Amino acid sequence: MRLIPIIIVFLIPVLVKSQTVCTAESKERLDAYLLKLSEIDLSEKSPNERIIEIGKWFLNTPYVEKTLELPGEEKLVIDLMGLDCTTYLETVVTLARLAQMGEFSFEDYARELELLRYQDGIRKDYPSRLHYFSDWVYQNEQKGIIKDVTKEIGGKVYANNPSFMSSNPQYYAQLGNPEFVKRLKVTEAEISKKTYHYIPKDEIVNYEKNIKSGDLIAITTSMQNLDIVHVGFAIEKEGRIHLLHAGTKNMKVEISEMPLHDYLKGNKSQSGIMVGRLVEPSK
């Protein structure tokens, strides 16, 4: 989904270690954040509080899509200089987990990011990446990383039958491989068998009190062949829940001007939200 022109890959210095790819600028920024985590004590804060504190470090970071879509075999891409909504969320969650575990090396970060981003926590190839965010939520709950709290805070059953990727392989360079398309169809079928919940957007205001600042927010869609169209974090602002996210309107990481309920209200394709909560990792 995040294709970078091949010429960029050759012009920007990259660190490649065990199929991990990181620009020199990104590594410098990551190292600075890992050092900052080692010097401040976030151990007394809750997982949600850590999410908000770390998430704000990235405010005004440029929005850049398709940073994971490098040519060739699947690589673990670490890019902190430009973030889309999903890579922003993954970056913050990974740093928040490391803060509690007291692990601050580049290798620690790469390990935890891979655990978060891939099926069974193992990078194998393109289809092994968690491309559909509803599947990301489900599988990372199975790993004990997050808890899907949507149902318990008032959610209703969400009809979830994604097929966009396998139906539109022309949009994804890696899906020129027919075997990858076939495997994605299997993944999509497995997603369709599971039961998901969501809070319809016109009911968010009724359940807003149950959403905590720092919760993971996944915005569902009325499009039948997709599951999630945007993700971010809930953040309280003047008594209302807003969205801390990498957004396309202003092309940067920011806090939404409007409360979450109003943010979704004006978009016909956005149908509601799923809500996840980071689980305290074991040391």
Side-chain angles (χ1 to χ4, degrees), residues 132-278:
Y132 289 103
F133 200 81
S134 59
D135 196 29
W136 189 103
V137 170
Y138 174 83
Q139 293 211 28
N140 281 304
E141 183 170 40
Q142 298 302 301
K143 298 169 192 170
I145 295 174
I146 67 164
K147 180 181 180 183
D148 184 350
V149 298
T150 312
K151 181 180 180 180
E152 69 182 59
I153 67 175
K156 300 179 178 179
V157 173
Y158 176 54
N160 190 25
N161 301 288
S163 62
F164 183 86
M165 291 186 70
S166 67
S167 300
N168 297 277
Q170 69 274 17
Y171 296 140
Y172 308 94
Q174 301 284 18
L175 294 187
N177 184 335
E179 179 61 27
F180 286 178
V181 176
K182 186 184 301 184
R183 286 173 55 195
L184 268 173
K185 286 183 178 180
V186 172
T187 295
E188 292 165 349
E190 289 298 317
I191 293 172
S192 299
K193 293 176 184 177
K194 298 180 177 69
T195 301
Y196 294 88
H197 295 81
Y198 81 124
I199 299 173
K201 64 181 181 182
D202 58 353
E203 297 181 23
I204 291 175
V205 69
N206 300 325
Y207 299 105
E208 192 172 338
K209 62 182 181 296
N210 299 328
I211 300 173
K212 296 182 179 181
S213 194
D215 281 349
L216 283 62
I217 302 295
I219 298 177
T220 59
T221 179
S222 56
M223 300 170 64
Q224 293 185 355
N225 61 355
L226 279 176
D227 59 342
I228 304 296
V229 291
H230 193 50
V231 300
F233 301 106
I235 184 168
E236 186 175 347
K237 180 181 176 183
E238 299 178 352
R240 297 296 305 278
I241 292 296
H242 290 245
L243 191 65
L244 173 60
H245 66 136
T248 56
K249 180 180 179 181
N250 296 311
M251 299 299 289
K252 65 180 181 179
V253 175
E254 62 183 354
I255 298 171
S256 64
E257 294 181 6
M258 294 182 290
L260 184 61
H261 174 266
D262 300 318
Y263 179 87
L264 271 71
K265 188 176 180 180
N267 193 314
K268 292 182 179 180
S269 68
Q270 296 178 350
S271 61
I273 58 172
M274 292 182 184
V275 184
R277 194 163 291 160
L278 191 61

Side-chain angles (χ1 to χ4, degrees), residues 17-199:
K17 184 176 181 180
S18 301
Q19 295 304 305
T20 297
V21 178
C22 182
T23 67
E25 287 181 316
S26 285
K27 187 174 187 303
E28 183 178 0
R29 189 176 192 185
L30 176 57
D31 286 344
Y33 285 154
L34 291 171
L35 178 60
K36 186 175 182 178
L37 284 181
S38 71
E39 293 176 339
I40 62 177
D41 185 7
L42 297 180
S43 62
E44 297 303 314
K45 293 183 178 291
S46 70
N48 279 44
E49 289 171 332
R50 288 193 288 272
I51 286 285
I52 293 301
E53 179 156 346
I54 295 170
K56 287 181 177 179
W57 294 354
F58 293 90
L59 286 172
N60 296 314
T61 299
Y63 179 98
V64 179
E65 63 179 6
K66 300 181 179 178
T67 58
L68 304 188
E69 305 305 310
L70 300 183
E73 65 180 284
E74 180 74 6
K75 301 172 182 67
L76 180 68
V77 177
I78 298 174
D79 188 344
L80 276 66
M81 304 309 296
L83 300 162
D84 65 19
C85 64
T86 302
T87 57
Y88 169 60
L89 182 143
E90 289 181 334
T91 298
V92 174
V93 169
T94 299
L95 288 170
R97 282 172 52 78
L98 292 178
Q100 177 59 23
M101 293 187 286
E103 299 178 355
F104 308 112
S105 72
F106 180 87
E107 289 74 20
D108 294 330
Y109 181 89
R111 180 198 68 232
E112 290 301 312
L113 181 62
E114 180 175 353
L115 176 65
L116 199 66
R117 185 175 286 170
Y118 292 93
Q119 295 178 12
D120 302 317
I122 302 171
R123 177 196 54 79
K124 297 177 182 178
D125 51 20
Y126 186 77
S128 72
R129 198 193 311 163
L130 295 170
H131 294 283
Y132 289 103
F133 200 81
S134 59
D135 196 29
W136 189 103
V137 170
Y138 174 83
Q139 293 211 28
N140 281 304
E141 183 170 40
Q142 298 302 301
K143 298 169 192 170
I145 295 174
I146 67 164
K147 180 181 180 183
D148 184 350
V149 298
T150 312
K151 181 180 180 180
E152 69 182 59
I153 67 175
K156 300 179 178 179
V157 173
Y158 176 54
N160 190 25
N161 301 288
S163 62
F164 183 86
M165 291 186 70
S166 67
S167 300
N168 297 277
Q170 69 274 17
Y171 296 140
Y172 308 94
Q174 301 284 18
L175 294 187
N177 184 335
E179 179 61 27
F180 286 178
V181 176
K182 186 184 301 184
R183 286 173 55 195
L184 268 173
K185 286 183 178 180
V186 172
T187 295
E188 292 165 349
E190 289 298 317
I191 293 172
S192 299
K193 293 176 184 177
K194 298 180 177 69
T195 301
Y196 294 88
H197 295 81
Y198 81 124
I199 299 173

